[in-house]
Structure formats: structure tokens, C-alpha cells
Amino acid sequence: MGKWRYGVILDAGSSGTRVHVYRWLDNARARQDDDSGRLKSLPKVKTKEDWTKKIHPGVSSFASKPEQIGPDHLDGLLQHALKIVPDDAVKETPIFLLATAGMRLLKNVEQQLLLERICSYIRSNSDFLLPDCDLHVQVIPGETEGLYGWIATNYLLGSFDSPGEHNHGKDHHTYGFLDMGGASAQIAFAPNATEAEKHANDLKLLRLRNVDGSSREYKVFVTSWLEFGVHEARNRYIKALQAASGAEGIKELPDPCLPNQLRTTMDGEIVSSTTEPKTCLLGTGKFDECLRQTYALLDKDAPCPDQPCLLHGVHVPAIDFDVNHFIGISEFWHTTHGIFEIDYKDKAYDFNTYQERVKEFCSQDWGSIEKSISDHQLGKVDDHKSAYELCFKASWIINMLHDGIGIPRVGLEDTKGSGHNGTKEVLSHGKNKGFIGPFQPANKIHGTEVSWTLGKVVLYASSQVPPADGEALPVGFGSNMPGVPGDFQYPSVDRLARPDEAKEEVHGEHWHDALFAGDSPRRIPGILLFIFIIIITLYFLCGRTRRQRIYRKLGTLFHRRGSSQHHHHHHNKKSGFLGGKLPFTRRNPPSYERVLEDGTRDFELGNVASDSEHESERHSDSGSPSGRGLKRTSEWGSTPTLMFGFDNGSSGNAGLGINNLPSNGNMDRTGLVVRTESRDHLSPIALGPTTNGRRSRATSPARPNHVSPIMTPLADD
């Protein structure tokens, strides 16, 4: 094991898949640090900008062609990761493909087929560590995605390791997390003490582990809104426009969320002079009307079975914005800052400034916007589609933030011509109090991109730390209850790191290395186990005839060597090689005697050497108390022969699972033997008390007057 540990995460989103490579210091090396503060911190996970690569489209687009997802989609991502991870670390490097909202919209059958193809391709085309497909290649719920994002945000801001520097008041030091992609949106935060107690059953218990093996726990609320991402919200908006038109055959639908005079298809493609769709959208550029129509998409009037709710009838504990300060990533960042990056230098979000800039942009004619794109005046927006989508996205973000989640509208005061800069005031407010305002968009923190994938790796790296003395609870998350709840989610198949890993690093060792590596402590016992498995395999493959020859030769050999000393062990001669020591080496497995209650048939399961020999064994224990014969077979130590009573009708056969038995004669000696005997031949010792020739069976002491329909083992007097 080298100095560094690595992890590979494939974020399979709705619009594309992005591979992230992370690394952290091996725990044995990290514990050599003399700084006690660092030992009390989480593992330091690092990444680089060029360790990330994204390709389009998303994995969900391969639902109709799953056989192509490997060569056409995954191959380039795997090759990128293999260039970064050192060759000698690949086998120890876990890989995860975690799909989000795009895959959640597919049917279960389509999901499973894609996931199976993905796992098979990764295993066949790389040596990355992938011990369990169900854990490493899966569609994660929105709640899990939100919790990973919450971990990543607080990890980068330092609120985990330095809570004193992030005191928001009321003994609260963590930040809330907001994320919006194309298909879904997530929220995660730790409620204040009052709400946490009131809604304890709604919280997730998260457990992490420091470098020194000590644990830390957090109680977080997290939920997700499917179809509340920008693309799915846009689809719902278009359907609402069509429904509101109320008439068929309309060629143009006015759309206030598109720039004035822009015409697009219902799918969002710009209509050119050569294309004439049946119905198109005509932009009017009325941003206020756009805000009003997108507000309806929040579904604020939906029934709320579990109060309180924010939107769409989804329960969320009350948010205390005095202590709950949110970081927004993905669309919350790109839509509020991406297009205005050149002249919008201040990174803080202030509602009034942002809304004024969006309104000014969306009121322009489409021709003016096209010219701005050509002159590179729109920041990172260099294509027409991103430009005309901005108006809808901006209105949706504003409604989600302020009318949906309820974030205060910072900077509401008028800024036109007053020289007052609300954004700078927000920045100053954050610096003075040591924390930012109620909402802050972010793309990077301390040079590292904020991504939920980082939270997944932090959780995994934490789980690889050996627990300190007395620390036995695993790393992961689940329902908010003590111990390990039934729904507890482990970062990987390794639920608990071994306590001796800090002394000797053997974690991740492959079976072939453990068996044959020169310095492995498992080498000798591993080789012996391997040889034993080979012997057992050859034993079963050599065939019954050859085994019998071997028995006779070995039996003769052992008999000659030990006949002068072991005459008193007469039963061992019949047992063959090793007799009763190893039951599976006998030719005849132990027979189980079953006695009919009514009738004269005696069913015996297993092989018997001869009827006479079996009868002699059955009555050999004449010295048992009360004259009851109870044979203990030598091949099973002290296990008594079991005798089962049942009626002679069909119900008895059904109870044992035996059907259509022959009325006379013996079956093959390896199977069920059927022997017909007279009533007089069955001795009273074996049968016990009788009544009119029938066996009288005592009732169960636990259940009086009830007879088991299947079996009644004889008691060992």
C-alpha cells in the first residue's frame, strides 16, 4: 500500500456523466502526524481540476440501447481515471457509478438492465475495486444525493473540523445545502434545537470518523423534489401553456419566458426560415408574467398530510434563517452568476440586484441578445440555447428560493441611481459575523468544486479509518435512532474497519495476494486451506466405485496395523476409514427410522448394508432404561436415531413430503427403502406401549391433546 488512497466516482446525471477522482492520505501515514488537531479532523480529501471529465448525454439516454453504454459512454471515463490513478493503486481504488434524477425517471426494468451492463463493463475493462454492484453501481435516491452534498459543503467550509469559527448562534455551526439539476432539486440542513426535537423522526443520523478513530454524529433533515429541476420544470411549464390555450390547431403560443420575437419549437429548438413546425412558441419577453406563471409550478396548494410543508405537499421542518445559512450549487450558481460573470464580480447573492439584471436582459429583443453573444458580452454563455433558456431558469430559481423555500429577499431596497450597493453590504455583513447570509450560490470553495460526489468520498474515506478503542459503531447514515438502525447505509461492503489496520495495513488485500504473497501473514494457512479444498474436490470427482476401492485398501491397511490393539472396537470395522469421526467419508449415511402408527410399513431414509444388519443395530441397545431401545449411531457421535409416527393415510405422506411410494419391494439403495414387516416383528421395546396392535403416542407436554402431524422424536431416557 502506497502513501495515498484513491477513489473514483462517476456522477451519472440527467444530461451527462462526470468522472471525479479523489485521493487522501493513507490512515497509517496520517496518524504519524504530531498535530492533535489534525488527528481530530476528518481525512483530508483532495482533487484537481483536470481530474474531472464530463461527457454527454446522460446514461438514461441508453435505455433503448444498453449494449452501447460501455464502448460509447463509459470507456472514455474509465480511461481518464486510469491515467490519474497509479497502476499499483488501481486494484485498491474503489469505483462508484451513482445515477441521479435522470435514471430515476426510467422504469425499474430499464434501470436494472443499464446498471447490470455498467457493472459488467467496468469489471471487464478495468481492475478498479468493485466488490458489490448493488452498492457501487446504483440509482441513489434524491435524499442520499442531498445528504452527500451537505457533507461536501460543510467539509469544504470547515464547519466540521472548526465549529467554533462558524458559530451562527444558538450553538449552530453547520450550513444548509441546496442543489438543482435538470430533473430534481434537493435541500439538506440541520434544524435548530427546537425543530430537531419536534421532528426527530424526520431526521437522518449521520456518523463520520476522524483520523484518530473517534466518531462524530450529526442529525440532518434532507428531502428531494423530483421534476423540480430546471428541465423537468420547463416541460411541466410547456404542458401548462398548451392546456391553457384551450384550442387545437393554434400555430403560435405566446411564451413570456422567452426573449421578445424569438420563435422555438415545443422541444426548444430555434425555428428557422426553413422549418415550419405545426405549433411553436413565440417569445414576448415579459419577465413579470413569466414569474407569475412559473410560481404555479411550485404547487404550493397541494395537500400537506404532515405539517409543515414547503411546496408540492412535501414535509419540511420550519427553517430558522437566523442559524440556517444555505449554500446553493449547480443551477443555483450557474443561473445566478454564470451569464453575468464579466460585470457581476461580487459573488454574494442579493435578490434585488439579481432580479433587476434578469429583467433587463429578458426585455431585450432576440436580435440584440444574438449580437451580445457574437460580441462575447454574456460571460460564459456562448451559445444561443443557453442564452434564451436563462429567462425561464431565472424565474424558476427566484420562485424556488423565495416563494418555495422561503429564503429572505436580501437587498429589496431600491438600488437604481442611489449609489447603494446591496451586494457589497451582504458581503460585509458576512465578514463581520464570520458567516455568509441566508443564501449564497457557490461553485468552488477554497478552490475545490462543490459536488455531492465529494461528500460520498469523504464518507468512504472516513469509513476506512480503524475505530478507536471502545468505538464500535460504523460510519454511514440511517434513521435517527441509537445504534445501527435497520435502514443504515454503509459507504461500501466494508462495514467496520479492523482495529489492527493501523498497525498492519492489510485492508483491500486480494485473495491471491493473501495466499501467495511472500510477507502475508495469511500465506501458510491460506495454502493449507487451498490444498484441503483441492483434496475435497478430487474426492467427490473420483466417483463412487473408485472411492469404494480406496476405502477397502485403506480399511485393510488400518485393520492390519491396529487389529491387535482394537478388537474391542468391533463397530469401527463396519465404519471403514475414520469410522464415526467424519460422517461424509462413510459409504452409508446414517439411517433415520420412521415407524408407521397404523399399518405394517416401515420407511427408512438412507443406505443400509442389509436388513439383518440393520435389525441387529436397531435392537443392540438392550441395556437402556425401561427396556426402551434408543440406538446412537457411531458415525454421528451421540445423535440418537429419530423415530417418527404418522398415520398410514395420505396425510402421513403429505406431512413428510413423500408421494406415490411403492407398495412393496425396495427402491435403489441410495434412496428411500420401503420394508414391509408383520406387526409381531415390531417389538414392544421399539414401539413402546401399544393399544390393539397400534402404537400409542404420548402428546406433547407443551401442547396437551395435540399430536404433531409430522414427527415426534423419542426422548432419551
Side-chain angles (χ1 to χ4, degrees):
M1 176 61 62
K3 176 181 178 182
W4 297 102
R5 292 281 190 103
Y6 291 82
V8 177
I9 311 289
L10 280 75
D11 171 10
S14 58
S15 61
T17 302
R18 181 176 300 192
V19 59
H20 298 263
V21 180
Y22 298 93
R23 77 176 184 183
W24 61 95
L25 196 63
D26 178 72
N27 184 254
R29 299 287 185 93
R31 288 196 181 195
Q32 297 174 2
D33 197 323
D34 295 332
D35 189 340
S36 60
R38 293 183 182 179
L39 293 178
K40 285 293 183 183
S41 64
L42 297 171
K44 301 299 180 185
V45 178
K46 301 291 183 181
T47 188
K48 298 180 180 179
E49 189 171 353
D50 58 354
W51 286 9
T52 298
K53 179 180 180 179
K54 184 174 183 178
I55 60 174
H56 299 277
V59 294
S60 57
S61 63
F62 289 87
S64 60
K65 46 182 180 180
E67 68 282 352
Q68 299 180 23
I69 194 170
D72 293 353
H73 191 76
L74 298 175
D75 182 66
L77 299 173
L78 290 178
Q79 295 306 318
H80 179 79
L82 288 169
K83 291 178 182 178
I84 298 167
V85 180
D87 293 342
D88 59 353
V90 171
K91 291 183 179 180
E92 309 293 339
T93 299
I95 187 170
F96 298 86
L97 184 141
L98 304 178
T100 55
M103 283 280 280
R104 293 178 204 136
L105 297 173
L106 295 180
K107 298 177 181 178
N108 288 336
V109 174
E110 295 174 325
Q111 286 184 18
Q112 290 304 315
L113 185 57
L114 278 173
L115 295 177
E116 290 172 4
R117 291 279 183 159
I118 290 169
C119 186
S120 176
Y121 187 85
I122 293 175
R123 282 179 166 171
S124 301
N125 293 272
S126 76
D127 290 329
F128 285 122
L129 184 62
L130 207 169
D132 189 321
C133 281
D134 291 338
L135 281 175
H136 284 242
V137 180
Q138 61 170 308
V139 180
I140 60 173
E143 291 79 6
T144 301
E145 181 183 355
L147 186 61
Y148 288 159
W150 185 87
I151 296 173
T153 299
N154 286 278
Y155 178 82
L156 290 175
L157 286 171
S159 60
F160 286 151
D161 296 335
S162 304
E165 298 178 8
H166 300 270
N167 186 7
H168 303 163
K170 303 178 185 178
D171 196 28
H172 198 284
H173 61 270
T174 60
Y175 295 82
F177 172 75
L178 293 171
D179 187 10
M180 181 181 289
S184 68
Q186 290 79 37
I187 183 173
F189 66 99
N192 64 22
T194 302
E195 290 296 306
E197 183 178 357
K198 186 186 302 183
H199 302 280
N201 294 335
D202 301 320
L203 307 183
K204 293 289 185 183
L205 178 65
L206 169 68
R207 187 178 298 113
L208 300 169
R209 189 174 293 142
N210 296 322
V211 173
D212 66 353
S214 59
S215 297
R216 57 174 72 188
E217 294 183 352
Y218 301 91
K219 298 177 181 179
V220 185
F221 176 84
V222 56
T223 193
S224 177
W225 295 284
L226 189 60
E227 296 187 347
F228 275 64
V230 288
H231 295 152
E232 288 301 317
R234 176 68 179 176
N235 291 339
R236 292 194 289 129
Y237 171 76
I238 297 300
K239 291 179 181 178
L241 281 182
Q242 292 175 310
S245 65
E248 296 182 1
I250 297 179
K251 291 188 176 180
E252 292 183 344
L253 286 176
D255 185 356
C257 295
L258 285 179
N260 190 32
Q261 298 180 359
L262 173 65
R263 296 171 74 239
T264 71
T265 65
M266 306 302 287
D267 295 332
E269 299 297 329
I270 296 178
V271 175
S272 63
S273 56
T274 59
T275 59
E276 281 298 331
K278 293 182 178 179
T279 305
C280 68
L281 299 173
L282 176 62
T284 62
K286 297 180 179 180
F287 186 71
D288 290 338
E289 178 64 16
C290 179
L291 278 174
R292 189 186 67 80
Q293 294 194 23
T294 52
Y295 173 84
L297 301 176
L298 296 176
D299 197 17
K300 294 283 287 186
D301 296 329
C304 179
D306 186 9
Q307 294 283 352
C309 295
L310 280 185
L311 48 94
H312 195 50
V314 176
H315 168 73
V316 178
I319 302 175
D320 181 0
F321 289 101
D322 285 341
V323 298
N324 293 131
H325 303 144
F326 287 85
I327 304 296
I329 70 169
S330 301
E331 287 297 340
F332 287 113
W333 161 263
H334 296 299
T335 302
T336 57
H337 286 73
I339 198 167
F340 301 119
E341 185 175 355
I342 289 181
D343 57 356
Y344 191 22
K345 298 297 185 182
D346 293 319
K347 300 304 180 183
Y349 170 83
D350 115 70
F351 166 77
N352 194 41
T353 301
Y354 177 62
Q355 182 165 271
E356 289 298 325
R357 290 177 181 272
V358 172
K359 186 181 295 187
E360 180 183 353
F361 172 82
C362 294
S363 63
Q364 299 180 70
D365 292 338
W366 177 240
S368 300
I369 294 177
E370 282 186 307
K371 185 176 184 304
S372 297
I373 296 174
S374 302
D375 295 341
H376 305 287
Q377 296 178 355
L378 294 179
K380 292 184 178 180
V381 177
D382 56 1
D383 64 282
H384 293 74
K385 186 174 183 179
S386 298
Y388 74 71
E389 284 181 344
L390 175 67
C391 296
F392 174 83
K393 287 183 177 181
S395 67
W396 179 236
I397 291 293
I398 289 173
N399 276 312
M400 274 289 292
L401 283 175
H402 304 293
D403 292 305
I405 299 171
I407 291 175
R409 290 174 168 86
V410 177
L412 266 180
E413 61 274 13
D414 186 13
T415 60
K416 280 190 175 182
S418 66
H420 174 73
N421 191 319
T423 298
K424 288 186 177 181
E425 183 182 60
V426 171
L427 282 175
S428 176
H429 176 78
K431 289 179 180 178
N432 291 337
K433 293 196 174 183
F435 58 90
I436 56 180
F439 172 72
Q440 174 65 48
N443 185 37
K444 294 182 179 180
I445 297 176
H446 302 311
T448 300
E449 180 184 359
V450 186
S451 170
W452 62 262
T453 58
L454 173 62
K456 170 64 180 179
V457 172
V458 169
L459 193 68
Y460 178 86
S462 178
S463 72
Q464 301 305 295
V465 177
D469 294 339
E471 297 282 351
L473 294 175
V475 169
F477 59 92
S479 296
N480 182 25
M481 60 182 62
V484 183
D487 62 351
F488 196 80
Q489 299 291 309
Y490 298 90
S492 183
V493 293
D494 299 316
R495 299 186 175 184
L496 277 174
R498 293 185 296 275
D500 60 344
E501 280 183 333
K503 299 177 181 178
E504 185 173 3
E505 217 31 74
V506 296
H507 181 77
E509 190 174 36
H510 290 277
W511 68 270
H512 50 78
D513 296 330
L515 291 181
F516 304 113
D519 297 330
S520 175
R522 310 178 195 176
R523 185 185 183 192
I524 299 303
I527 292 177
L528 294 178
L529 177 62
F530 183 73
I531 294 174
F532 178 73
I533 293 173
I534 294 298
I535 293 174
I536 294 298
T537 303
L538 292 176
Y539 168 79
F540 285 107
L541 290 178
C542 68
R544 181 180 180 185
T545 303
R546 288 180 182 153
R547 288 200 299 268
Q548 290 175 345
R549 292 175 184 171
I550 294 173
Y551 296 151
R552 285 195 291 268
K553 291 181 180 180
L554 293 178
T556 302
L557 176 62
F558 277 86
H559 176 68
R560 290 175 179 175
R561 294 180 60 183
S563 60
S564 62
Q565 301 178 12
H566 302 284
H567 285 299
H568 60 286
H569 296 296
H570 177 69
H571 63 282
N572 285 344
K573 295 179 181 181
K574 292 184 292 183
S575 300
F577 178 51
L578 294 182
K581 303 299 182 183
L582 296 175
F584 59 83
T585 62
R586 288 180 52 84
R587 284 180 291 171
N588 300 329
S591 60
Y592 294 86
E593 196 172 53
R594 294 178 172 90
V595 181
L596 289 173
E597 270 193 356
D598 186 13
T600 59
R601 288 185 183 175
D602 188 11
F603 296 93
E604 298 179 354
L605 291 178
N607 294 331
V608 289
S610 68
D611 287 344
S612 61
E613 179 183 278
H614 196 77
E615 288 298 317
S616 65
E617 289 182 0
R618 186 156 61 95
H619 298 287
S620 62
D621 193 4
S622 60
S624 61
S626 304
R628 297 185 65 177
L630 186 60
K631 176 176 72 70
R632 296 185 181 276
T633 58
S634 62
E635 56 272 7
W636 293 101
S638 61
T639 304
T641 298
L642 301 180
M643 303 181 68
F644 305 88
F646 52 84
D647 292 336
N648 194 26
S650 60
S651 63
N653 290 347
L656 287 172
I658 304 172
N659 296 312
N660 302 324
L661 294 174
S663 61
N664 53 51
N666 295 341
M667 293 174 59
D668 183 83
R669 304 190 71 83
T670 62
L672 181 68
V673 180
V674 182
R675 185 171 68 250
T676 304
E677 300 175 358
S678 67
R679 295 176 186 265
D680 296 336
H681 185 71
L682 301 175
S683 68
I685 297 176
L687 288 173
T690 60
T691 304
N692 297 330
R694 298 167 58 97
R695 181 185 175 194
S696 175
R697 179 174 46 193
T699 59
S700 169
R703 297 180 180 177
N705 303 323
H706 176 74
V707 180
S708 170
I710 301 178
M711 60 183 71
T712 305
L714 294 179
D716 188 354
D717 295 334

